Amino acid sequence: FLFIPQTESFLWILFALMFLWMLGDGLEQAMGAFRLNLFYLIGMVGTTVAAVFFGAEFSNTMLNLSLLFAFAWYYPDIQIFFMLIIPMKIRWVAWISAAFVGFGLVTGGLSYGMAVAASLANYLLFFGPEWIANTRQQQKAAARRRSFAEASIPEDEPLHRCAACGRTEQGDPNLEFRVSRDGNEYCVEHLPKRGEGNG
């Protein structure tokens, strides 16, 4: 009963089942048959619990949304024709659907929120830890980029400076610099001769 779309139009039922088949086929390739069956079983139990305890009018829409979200996780750039006309990447369809669910959570009350939580438990169980890990990794990468940017040389800071006269390439772009044996950088004019000082 959970496979039957919530419509009486035969044509819409056909398209909905074809779309469901596409989602299932892609997820089986990405997750494997066992994990997909477990994913769907948890969603079925959650949807049934939501229907029994939070209202019989609650449909299988959330279960199908969990499949859509999982498919968009693995294949975000696959393009489909929304309403059979508008080309859209599957990730945007998932984001729009999530926005509608979020709107329902704000306006639908506690029973709707509990029903959503029960029906999308499979998605949260399978993808929640990975999403949290990815978020932490992105935060760490952003922190590394910030620390690198803070430690890098400012754009107005000269790259070369003569240890003797203090001139830089900013004052004279044609000025040539060399590193002496003492480890300091000098312009060619003030480069220590062999035997001078530490040179």
Side-chain angles (χ1 to χ4, degrees):
F1 66 95
L2 287 170
F3 288 101
I4 301 173
Q6 305 297 306
T7 179
E8 296 180 358
S9 168
F10 175 76
L11 188 63
W12 186 250
I13 289 175
L14 180 64
F15 282 124
L17 290 176
M18 286 174 59
F19 186 64
L20 190 62
W21 181 276
M22 182 196 81
L23 296 179
D25 189 47
L27 287 173
E28 185 176 7
Q29 292 179 30
M31 302 173 72
F34 176 77
R35 290 188 74 225
L36 175 60
N37 286 332
L38 184 61
F39 179 83
Y40 200 78
L41 178 64
I42 294 171
M44 287 172 59
V45 170
T47 299
T48 305
V49 167
V52 170
F53 290 100
F54 304 113
E57 74 278 357
F58 196 77
S59 69
N60 62 353
T61 304
M62 292 299 167
L63 176 59
N64 292 339
L65 272 180
S66 72
L67 292 174
L68 174 65
F69 294 156
F71 188 85
W73 179 272
Y74 287 114
Y75 309 104
D77 293 324
I78 284 186
Q79 184 172 283
I80 63 168
F81 286 91
F82 185 68
M83 304 296 288
L84 304 178
I85 300 171
I86 306 168
M88 288 183 72
K89 289 187 176 179
I90 198 77
R91 69 173 145 201
W92 294 116
V93 177
W95 277 113
I96 292 170
S97 302
F100 279 111
V101 171
F103 180 75
L105 287 173
V106 172
T107 60
L110 181 62
S111 63
Y112 183 83
M114 296 300 291
V116 168
S119 299
L120 295 181
N122 57 347
Y123 183 81
L124 297 176
L125 284 173
F126 275 74
F127 297 99
E130 193 172 349
W131 185 82
I132 292 171
N134 285 351
T135 302
R136 287 179 178 167
Q137 187 66 27
Q138 289 173 358
Q139 289 174 346
K140 288 179 181 177
R144 283 195 300 269
R145 281 194 295 269
R146 279 195 303 271
S147 64
F148 177 78
E150 289 170 0
S152 62
I153 300 172
E155 291 184 7
D156 58 345
E157 184 75 18
L159 185 61
H160 304 286
R161 183 183 300 274
C162 178
C165 66
R167 290 190 297 175
T168 69
E169 79 280 1
Q170 292 177 340
D172 184 359
N174 297 320
L175 203 59
E176 294 184 18
F177 294 87
R178 301 286 186 270
V179 177
S180 178
R181 289 185 181 185
D182 63 1
N184 292 321
E185 192 172 27
Y186 296 91
C187 64
V188 174
E189 182 182 341
H190 294 103
L191 187 65
K193 303 290 187 281
R194 185 177 297 274
E196 286 185 16
N198 296 327

